[in-house]
Amino acid sequence: MADQLLNERDIEFLLYEFLDTEQLLQRPRYREHSREIFDATLKTARTIADKYFANHNAKGDANEPSFDGETVHLIEETKQAWDAFAEAGFLAAHYDFNEGGLQLPEIILRASLATVSAANVASAGYPFLTLGAANLIHSFADEKLKAQFLPPMMDGRYAGTMALTEPDQGSSLADIRTSAEAAADGSYRIFGQKMFISGGDQSLTDNIAHMVLAKIKGAPPGVKGISLFLVPKFLLDENGEPDKRNDVKLAGLLHKMGYRNTTSTVLNFGEDRGAVGYLVGEPHKGLAYMFQMMNEARIGVGVGAAVLGYQGYNYSLQYARERPQGRLPSNRDPQSKQLPIIRHADVRRMLLMQKSYVEGGLALCFYASSLFEDQRTAETEEQRRNATALLNLLTPIVKSWPSKYCLKANELAIQVLGGAGYIREFPLEQLYRDNRLNPIHEGTEAIHGLDLLGRKVPADNMAGYGLLQCEMRNTLMQAKDIEALAPLAAALEDALEKLDVVTRSLFGQMQQDIDRGLANATLYLDVFGRVVVAWIWLRQALAAEGALSASVSMEEGNFYRGKVQAARFYIEWELPEIEAQVALLTSGNMLPFEMDESWF
Amino acid sequence: MADQLLNERDIEFLLYEFLDTEQLLQRPRYREHSREIFDATLKTARTIADKYFANHNAKGDANEPSFDGETVHLIEETKQAWDAFAEAGFLAAHYDFNEGGLQLPEIILRASLATVSAANVASAGYPFLTLGAANLIHSFADEKLKAQFLPPMMDGRYAGTMALTEPDQGSSLADIRTSAEAAADGSYRIFGQKMFISGGDQSLTDNIAHMVLAKIKGAPPGVKGISLFLVPKFLLDENGEPDKRNDVKLAGLLHKMGYRNTTSTVLNFGEDRGAVGYLVGEPHKGLAYMFQMMNEARIGVGVGAAVLGYQGYNYSLQYARERPQGRLPSNRDPQSKQLPIIRHADVRRMLLMQKSYVEGGLALCFYASSLFEDQRTAETEEQRRNATALLNLLTPIVKSWPSKYCLKANELAIQVLGGAGYIREFPLEQLYRDNRLNPIHEGTEAIHGLDLLGRKVPADNMAGYGLLQCEMRNTLMQAKDIEALAPLAAALEDALEKLDVVTRSLFGQMQQDIDRGLANATLYLDVFGRVVVAWIWLRQALAAEGALSASVSMEEGNFYRGKVQAARFYIEWELPEIEAQVALLTSGNMLPFEMDESWF
């Protein structure tokens, strides 16, 4: 692994210069906090990431979990990592003081988790899933379930999972078949099979709380009949301690390309007499509840993708600085000293492209995280409502853009190393294999394209879309006044208009024929993502130019100039690719849709 | 693996409709052949591929070669595959009858090898490398070496390798350090270390002929001082049989992301008293000789990339036809039957995109293979010279374009399967891992960009470039007369003009400053590749439209309509992306080049 996890200076920039995280301290929830506490939290996360997660990232990949028919075996470092994470309080950090938490803001937790993911995304899977499951219980379960399951999930005795997918349905939740029958004691009996359940079994915790989507017998068809159940691995005895095995069986482990140290499982519920499950919240509202978890998880996927890209960037940058090879074309003297490969134009292109993807991706995720915070703790109701509208709009992009482009960053990092990038003796090929999951889980690109164009943009009379336009125009106004940024602002303004034209054109097409109108939604997602990330980069450049206008050290100056150059690169090299895409979309080019199946 | 290797109908189309392979029968070298012999050869290759290569593609990946300090162990199926390939005569098929060969044309051999690669690219590595090494010996070695090494390489008793790369140099051959000292008996003693040597050791053959680049003491610096040596693993006794070990030691195996069943080795030459090597050809001409092998190998890499993409396309297409999931957006009835996912617009896009990449890539490689044939056996000297000029120009594209886009096809195939694409229980993730090597070996994309813009396009007063323009304009003329193709021809004509503008602009930039002028050569390679493949697709569409103008069966009609639709897709969806690239190139945008190292 690269010597550093992410880039401390960049995290600081994103939190305190690109975003204004310090202003959170003025909000009532954070009055007892300080910048020092935030920074100490980040430092703790970095220490744990370094010591307990980075140490077995490669080992966990080479020695993936195994199942002997009884027990799942993980390399022992996984348990040490889990314990260290729990002991540092990160499983409870975002809850209020009076709930036993540290009352930390979302963005500080998110930045902390980012560092842990950067160290070892697979071992980070267990605590991350547990955080999500606990949040669901916290938000929707009754007091009894909360009392039974939340405390041990907050201190690391229990873990949690998210059990949605079934063998016959992945993307189409309407068609899940897992069923629930009411039992006399008010609990339910769950029957069905779930697949691709991450962390579905392990040897880390005393119990696992599976958050299972199932349909109560007689429920309405489709997504309106889905309920959410907590199905524990072990049933609790009268003292609330794990006792007998519930009727949940591990049918087997799946063997992934990457993310290997996170178990991926097939679980059978109710093979014998029915798995005992407890209804969470009201019947038939399971999907809405699950979406809370999914939306958080989707930001998590974006961050995961960004940090895997970031680690590849770090490593390939370090390699390019150190590896001598070849000379400039102008130098024809084979006896002259070879240059470090960072001096070659194409290596620089690959590094700058990676920088624009990974720092752009992480900035996008952190921005989303700030919206997540604002929707809960911003001062006015309007601010909170606006944050929700913006976050809902941006979630498909926050999930999909880093998953696509930070994966591409990993490909570029491999390419910088050449043959060394292709062998397991170097860390890059694992990063790529790990990252390849991100465009798939928590909704494929296609799903998010449909969500963006079909739901999120039109939602509430385009409220979120309108807000985003305002935010962007606000940035444009500021950037236009700065000489170095004015051309970038002009390019983004032009792109913004194109996005508007294409959006309205697609709405027209959707009104005529919804299937055709949505046929190119993935392309629209890509256009939208590029425009948003161009804006994120312009905002970073604005912060950097602001800092450069004062007197800064040479090192600081270099950092800020790198930000400005990456913003220029993104806007001059990447953003213009939307033109061809916009032309296809507005002309209603339906070639793929019109490809007859028999022609393949 | 997908049920089928490549697509027999498509291979037939490429050989006999897109290309006119049958006209080879009129050339003196092939007078004793017939279409039936060609087809029987292809069928033999398919049988061997199916029976001896496809059978252990996954197994060889899961059980990679190991080295116990003495011997390299391969799964036994590898040896059976090697033997079957050799016994069928494919190691000798392209040599003349009087040399013990089958006097087969390059294109038939190439298509045969393509099928074998599709079945198992890693196990195919051993015979492919042997073919290349034997060709070098055949072309440049003296009669004694030929007599000693060619026959056993043609019948499968010996294998060959290509030993260029060293730990401290991969792309910069000028800097190799392996040295050669003349010995009293006329042989040489070789000292040095080579790395990433594929097939550098194995347990398949009685001997291995390493084709080693080294510098004779006192040779000129740089590439002008490189000589080529044959360094056998075992020295031959007086009867010409393998006897004592030469001083070539396997320092260790490298562990690749994919292509696992091909050993990748570090070899130490001359640790003890010097490895015995035999000069091939004249001193200091090694690089020129090696380039013959490399140019063949580069077409081979293109084919390998294309067929790995093809197998992913086949599998994901089959999966998409069979896997039910979800409904069209217009269908809001959750109780209605789910559709096979091929009915979803974005799945069709991913399939059509794959089709355009893999069939386009394979057609490009087969076209190059026909040029390779023409440069040897075309009737007139002018035809042969023109074929050489065109092939030299196109080699960087034939190597790089499939490596980039057919890898992307594998990514798309994974995405079509979703979670199933990500697990080793399905064949797609291996295809991706295997294919990731192709943009790296035999020259990275950057190397080929520099080669294309810096050498191949300007070569001989742009002779190859001029010929390509003529070929393309010839296709345009024909396409313009066909209603369905006229718009595609217009788009390609426009692109051709853009390519011309950008080429002349870059030449101007190179004259001013060669380092800056070549800085964006990789981007130029991509533009050039897209234009060439658009032309390849238009040529395929022309052949298809020609066939459709006669009466054809429904099945045949569907095949041809698929070709036309894929051509339209490539030209309408992919080609326009050059516009933004051309704008960057002609404006001389140097952002990556100008990124200071200290700003990263």
Side-chain angles (χ1 to χ4, degrees):
Chain A
M1 187 49 59
D3 290 346
Q4 61 173 345
L5 293 170
L6 306 179
N7 173 345
E8 276 185 59
R9 180 63 189 91
D10 191 31
I11 300 290
E12 192 192 2
F13 171 81
L14 293 177
L15 293 178
Y16 301 112
E17 299 176 74
F18 167 69
L19 299 171
D20 184 6
T21 299
E22 266 183 290
Q23 53 86 17
L24 293 180
L25 296 169
Q26 288 158 29
R27 296 183 185 175
R29 187 170 193 253
Y30 306 116
R31 284 227 177 96
E32 293 179 44
H33 282 300
S34 64
R35 166 84 184 254
E36 286 67 35
I37 291 177
F38 292 171
D39 290 347
T41 305
L42 294 170
K43 195 175 168 197
T44 301
R46 216 154 35 233
T47 305
I48 288 173
D50 246 341
K51 191 164 171 192
Y52 295 101
F53 283 82
N55 67 330
H56 68 290
N57 187 43
K59 186 176 174 187
D61 181 68
N63 301 276
E64 68 189 332
S66 62
F67 177 49
D68 61 15
E70 285 288 323
T71 310
V72 170
H73 301 277
L74 294 165
I75 58 166
E76 61 182 355
E77 291 87 342
T78 321
K79 170 72 173 155
Q80 292 156 10
W82 168 271
D83 289 344
F85 189 92
E87 276 161 30
F90 281 115
L91 287 169
H94 58 304
Y95 293 115
D96 288 351
F97 293 130
N98 64 18
E99 298 172 305
L102 301 173
Q103 208 158 311
L104 274 172
E106 151 77 15
I107 181 79
I108 297 301
L109 182 63
R110 186 63 74 183
S112 301
L113 301 186
T115 311
V116 175
S117 289
N120 187 332
V121 80
S123 292
Y126 301 102
F128 286 18
L129 286 160
T130 302
L131 280 167
N135 284 345
L136 265 183
I137 297 168
H138 182 263
S139 299
F140 303 113
D142 60 30
E143 292 309 315
K144 187 179 165 198
L145 271 183
K146 274 197 214 182
Q148 287 177 314
F149 287 92
L150 262 190
M153 290 174 83
M154 286 167 68
D155 69 14
R157 281 179 293 140
Y158 295 3
T161 76
M162 192 163 165
L164 288 73
T165 303
E166 299 178 4
D168 288 330
Q169 65 75 18
S171 300
S172 179
L173 284 172
D175 296 285
I176 63 167
R177 290 192 205 161
T178 298
S179 65
E181 285 174 30
D185 65 354
S187 68
Y188 287 78
R189 295 297 169 273
I190 311 291
F191 301 90
Q193 192 175 52
K194 295 285 179 180
M195 188 172 178
F196 293 118
I197 307 309
S198 295
D201 208 346
Q202 30 81 350
S203 47
L204 304 172
T205 57
D206 297 343
N207 206 351
I208 304 175
H210 300 293
M211 307 307 291
V212 179
L213 291 187
K215 289 184 174 178
I216 298 170
K217 297 265 155 140
V223 295
K224 289 174 187 159
I226 297 174
S227 300
L228 177 63
F229 297 88
L230 189 166
V231 183
K233 177 177 174 184
F234 292 98
L235 298 170
L236 305 186
D237 65 16
E238 62 270 27
N239 301 318
E241 290 301 314
D243 186 22
K244 292 203 185 76
R245 275 298 291 251
N246 197 356
D247 188 6
V248 183
K249 288 206 183 63
L250 178 61
L253 297 178
L254 299 164
H255 299 88
K256 300 191 296 301
M257 180 186 192
Y259 259 87
R260 292 193 177 179
N261 206 34
T262 307
T263 52
S264 182
T265 62
V266 181
L267 295 178
N268 291 341
F269 292 86
E271 272 189 335
D272 292 337
R273 62 210 177 279
V276 176
Y278 307 102
L279 182 67
V280 174
E282 295 175 41
H284 315 324
K285 296 205 172 163
L287 194 67
Y289 300 155
M290 192 58 99
F291 261 106
Q292 173 190 305
M293 186 164 164
M294 279 202 276
N295 282 333
E296 287 177 49
R298 283 166 175 176
I299 303 177
V301 169
V303 172
V307 300
L308 288 171
Y310 216 122
Q311 291 308 96
Y313 168 60
N314 281 344
Y315 194 92
S316 64
L317 176 59
Q318 180 183 317
Y319 184 91
R321 289 193 198 282
E322 293 168 3
R323 167 83 174 172
Q325 188 89 165
R327 296 159 191 85
L328 292 185
S330 57
N331 179 356
R332 307 225 159 227
D333 176 8
Q335 290 180 291
S336 60
K337 213 176 151 214
Q338 297 197 71
L339 296 173
I341 61 171
I342 195 171
R343 296 287 303 278
H344 295 303
D346 199 57
V347 171
R348 281 187 210 217
R349 177 188 63 87
M350 293 191 283
L351 292 171
L352 186 52
M353 196 177 258
Q354 285 181 72
K355 181 178 167 79
S356 81
Y357 293 159
V358 306
E359 294 182 9
L362 198 57
L364 171 67
C365 294
F366 279 11
Y367 172 68
S369 179
S370 78
L371 293 175
F372 193 90
E373 178 67 43
D374 286 349
Q375 72 175 344
R376 297 183 175 194
T377 66
E379 202 176 345
T380 69
E381 204 201 308
E382 191 194 353
Q383 286 170 332
R384 294 193 292 272
R385 209 172 45 225
N386 286 352
T388 300
L390 266 174
L391 181 59
N392 285 346
L393 174 73
L394 289 176
T395 296
I397 291 158
V398 172
K399 193 276 168 184
S400 303
W401 192 93
S403 294
K404 177 173 182 177
Y405 289 100
C406 297
L407 177 66
K408 195 172 162 190
N410 285 134
E411 259 203 59
L412 291 166
I414 290 174
Q415 198 67 15
V416 168
L417 268 71
Y422 191 66
I423 54 176
R424 276 129 62 206
E425 282 79 354
F426 288 78
L428 291 179
E429 63 86 39
Q430 184 189 345
L431 290 172
Y432 177 85
R433 287 188 288 103
D434 287 344
N435 218 351
R436 183 64 188 84
L437 179 58
N438 287 315
I440 296 172
H441 65 169
E442 303 303 331
T444 62
E445 237 187 319
I447 296 291
H448 288 286
L450 293 170
D451 186 40
L452 180 70
L453 180 58
R455 281 190 288 262
K456 295 301 173 58
V457 173
D460 298 328
N461 236 338
M462 302 184 73
Y465 183 85
L467 284 165
L468 182 67
Q469 291 257 349
C470 282
E471 290 286 326
M472 289 186 174
R473 295 206 179 274
N474 194 8
T475 306
L476 290 179
M477 293 270 287
Q478 296 173 59
K480 279 179 187 172
D481 287 342
I482 294 168
E483 200 184 334
L485 303 185
L488 305 187
L492 180 58
E493 187 164 32
D494 181 60
L496 212 50
E497 275 157 30
K498 288 205 169 72
L499 179 63
D500 219 41
V501 167
V502 81
T503 301
R504 285 170 206 285
S505 163
L506 287 171
F507 280 4
Q509 295 176 43
M510 284 156 65
Q511 275 195 322
Q512 295 214 326
D513 181 333
I514 187 73
D515 295 332
R516 294 174 69 89
L518 287 171
N520 295 331
T522 308
L523 198 62
Y524 177 75
L525 176 71
D526 196 52
V527 170
F528 207 124
R530 283 186 202 262
V531 174
V532 167
V533 173
W535 166 61
I536 291 287
W537 265 115
L538 188 58
R539 278 188 56 169
Q540 290 191 75
L542 258 176
E545 283 288 341
L548 282 168
S549 66
S551 139
V552 291
S553 71
M554 180 144 79
E555 200 186 335
E556 284 287 283
N558 287 338
F559 174 80
Y560 291 122
R561 275 185 277 274
K563 284 286 180 191
V564 175
Q565 189 82 346
R568 285 187 62 190
F569 176 80
Y570 195 80
I571 291 173
E572 293 182 19
W573 281 60
E574 297 280 317
L575 185 60
E577 293 192 22
I578 67 167
E579 305 216 2
Q581 298 174 312
V582 163
L584 282 173
L585 288 168
T586 49
S587 70
N589 188 308
M590 290 286 146
L591 272 177
F593 188 76
E594 289 162 0
M595 175 78 177
D596 196 276
E597 284 158 54
S598 64
W599 300 351
F600 279 109
Chain B
M1 189 47 59
D3 289 346
Q4 61 173 344
L5 293 170
L6 307 178
N7 172 345
E8 277 185 57
R9 179 64 189 91
D10 191 31
I11 300 290
E12 193 192 359
F13 171 81
L14 293 177
L15 292 179
Y16 301 113
E17 300 175 74
F18 167 69
L19 299 171
D20 183 7
T21 299
E22 266 183 291
Q23 54 84 18
L24 293 180
L25 297 169
Q26 289 158 26
R27 297 185 185 174
R29 187 170 194 254
Y30 305 117
R31 284 228 177 96
E32 292 178 45
H33 281 300
S34 64
R35 166 84 184 254
E36 286 68 34
I37 291 177
F38 291 173
D39 290 346
T41 306
L42 294 170
K43 195 175 168 198
T44 302
R46 216 156 32 232
T47 305
I48 288 173
D50 246 340
K51 191 165 171 191
Y52 296 101
F53 284 81
N55 68 329
H56 68 290
N57 188 44
K59 187 177 174 185
D61 180 68
N63 301 277
E64 67 188 334
S66 61
F67 178 48
D68 61 14
E70 283 289 322
T71 309
V72 169
H73 301 278
L74 294 165
I75 59 166
E76 61 182 355
E77 290 88 343
T78 321
K79 170 72 172 156
Q80 291 156 10
W82 168 270
D83 288 345
F85 189 92
E87 276 160 28
F90 281 114
L91 287 169
H94 59 303
Y95 293 115
D96 288 350
F97 293 129
N98 64 16
E99 296 174 306
L102 302 173
Q103 209 157 313
L104 274 172
E106 151 76 14
I107 181 78
I108 297 299
L109 182 63
R110 187 62 74 181
S112 301
L113 302 186
T115 311
V116 175
S117 288
N120 188 332
V121 81
S123 292
Y126 301 102
F128 287 18
L129 286 160
T130 302
L131 281 167
N135 285 345
L136 265 183
I137 296 169
H138 183 264
S139 299
F140 304 111
D142 60 31
E143 293 308 316
K144 186 178 167 201
L145 270 184
K146 273 197 216 183
Q148 288 176 312
F149 287 92
L150 262 190
M153 289 175 84
M154 286 167 69
D155 69 15
R157 280 178 294 141
Y158 294 2
T161 75
M162 192 164 163
L164 288 74
T165 304
E166 299 179 4
D168 287 331
Q169 66 75 18
S171 301
S172 180
L173 284 171
D175 297 284
I176 62 167
R177 291 193 205 160
T178 298
S179 65
E181 285 175 28
D185 64 356
S187 68
Y188 286 78
R189 295 295 169 274
I190 311 293
F191 302 89
Q193 191 176 51
K194 296 284 179 180
M195 187 172 179
F196 293 118
I197 307 310
S198 295
D201 208 347
Q202 31 82 348
S203 47
L204 303 172
T205 57
D206 297 344
N207 206 350
I208 303 174
H210 299 293
M211 306 307 291
V212 179
L213 292 186
K215 290 183 172 176
I216 298 170
K217 299 263 153 141
V223 295
K224 289 174 187 159
I226 296 175
S227 301
L228 177 64
F229 297 89
L230 191 164
V231 184
K233 177 177 173 183
F234 292 98
L235 298 169
L236 305 186
D237 64 18
E238 60 271 28
N239 301 317
E241 291 300 314
D243 186 23
K244 292 204 186 73
R245 276 297 293 250
N246 197 357
D247 188 7
V248 182
K249 287 208 185 62
L250 177 61
L253 297 178
L254 299 165
H255 298 89
K256 301 192 294 302
M257 182 186 190
Y259 259 87
R260 291 193 179 180
N261 205 35
T262 307
T263 52
S264 182
T265 63
V266 181
L267 295 177
N268 291 341
F269 292 85
E271 271 190 335
D272 293 338
R273 61 210 177 278
V276 176
Y278 307 102
L279 184 66
V280 175
E282 295 175 40
H284 315 324
K285 297 205 171 165
L287 195 66
Y289 301 154
M290 191 57 99
F291 261 105
Q292 173 190 306
M293 184 167 168
M294 279 201 277
N295 282 334
E296 286 178 50
R298 283 166 176 177
I299 303 177
V301 169
V303 172
V307 301
L308 288 171
Y310 216 123
Q311 290 308 95
Y313 167 60
N314 282 344
Y315 194 92
S316 64
L317 176 59
Q318 179 182 319
Y319 185 90
R321 288 193 200 281
E322 293 168 3
R323 166 85 172 171
Q325 188 90 164
R327 296 160 190 85
L328 292 185
S330 57
N331 179 357
R332 306 226 159 226
D333 176 8
Q335 289 179 292
S336 60
K337 213 174 152 217
Q338 295 196 72
L339 296 173
I341 62 171
I342 196 172
R343 297 287 303 279
H344 295 302
D346 199 57
V347 171
R348 281 187 209 216
R349 177 188 65 86
M350 292 191 284
L351 292 171
L352 186 53
M353 197 176 256
Q354 285 181 71
K355 181 178 167 78
S356 81
Y357 292 159
V358 305
E359 295 182 9
L362 197 58
L364 171 68
C365 294
F366 279 12
Y367 172 68
S369 179
S370 77
L371 295 174
F372 193 90
E373 179 66 44
D374 287 348
Q375 73 176 343
R376 298 182 174 195
T377 66
E379 201 177 346
T380 69
E381 203 200 311
E382 191 194 354
Q383 286 169 334
R384 294 193 292 273
R385 207 173 46 226
N386 286 352
T388 301
L390 266 174
L391 182 59
N392 285 347
L393 174 72
L394 288 177
T395 296
I397 291 158
V398 172
K399 193 275 167 184
S400 303
W401 191 93
S403 295
K404 177 173 182 178
Y405 288 101
C406 297
L407 177 67
K408 195 172 162 190
N410 285 133
E411 259 204 60
L412 290 166
I414 291 174
Q415 197 68 14
V416 168
L417 268 72
Y422 191 67
I423 55 176
R424 276 130 61 206
E425 282 78 355
F426 288 78
L428 292 177
E429 64 87 39
Q430 184 189 343
L431 290 172
Y432 178 86
R433 286 188 288 104
D434 286 345
N435 218 351
R436 183 63 189 85
L437 179 59
N438 287 315
I440 297 172
H441 65 170
E442 303 303 333
T444 61
E445 238 188 318
I447 296 291
H448 288 286
L450 293 171
D451 185 40
L452 180 70
L453 179 59
R455 279 190 289 259
K456 297 300 173 61
V457 174
D460 297 327
N461 236 337
M462 301 184 76
Y465 183 86
L467 284 165
L468 181 67
Q469 292 257 348
C470 283
E471 289 286 327
M472 288 187 175
R473 295 206 177 273
N474 196 7
T475 306
L476 290 179
M477 293 270 286
Q478 296 173 58
K480 278 179 187 171
D481 286 341
I482 294 168
E483 201 184 333
L485 303 184
L488 305 187
L492 180 58
E493 187 163 32
D494 180 59
L496 212 51
E497 275 158 31
K498 288 206 169 73
L499 178 64
D500 218 40
V501 168
V502 82
T503 301
R504 285 168 206 289
S505 164
L506 288 171
F507 280 3
Q509 294 176 44
M510 284 156 66
Q511 275 194 322
Q512 295 215 328
D513 181 333
I514 188 72
D515 296 331
R516 294 175 68 90
L518 286 171
N520 294 331
T522 307
L523 199 61
Y524 177 75
L525 176 71
D526 195 52
V527 170
F528 208 125
R530 283 185 203 261
V531 174
V532 168
V533 173
W535 166 62
I536 291 287
W537 264 116
L538 188 59
R539 278 188 58 169
Q540 290 192 75
L542 258 177
E545 284 287 342
L548 282 169
S549 66
S551 137
V552 291
S553 70
M554 181 145 78
E555 199 184 335
E556 284 287 283
N558 286 337
F559 174 79
Y560 291 122
R561 273 183 280 274
K563 284 287 181 192
V564 175
Q565 189 81 348
R568 286 187 62 191
F569 177 80
Y570 195 80
I571 292 173
E572 294 182 19
W573 280 61
E574 296 280 316
L575 184 60
E577 293 192 22
I578 68 167
E579 305 217 1
Q581 297 175 312
V582 163
L584 281 173
L585 288 167
T586 49
S587 70
N589 187 308
M590 291 286 147
L591 272 177
F593 189 76
E594 289 162 0
M595 175 78 177
D596 197 276
E597 285 157 55
S598 64
W599 301 350
F600 279 110

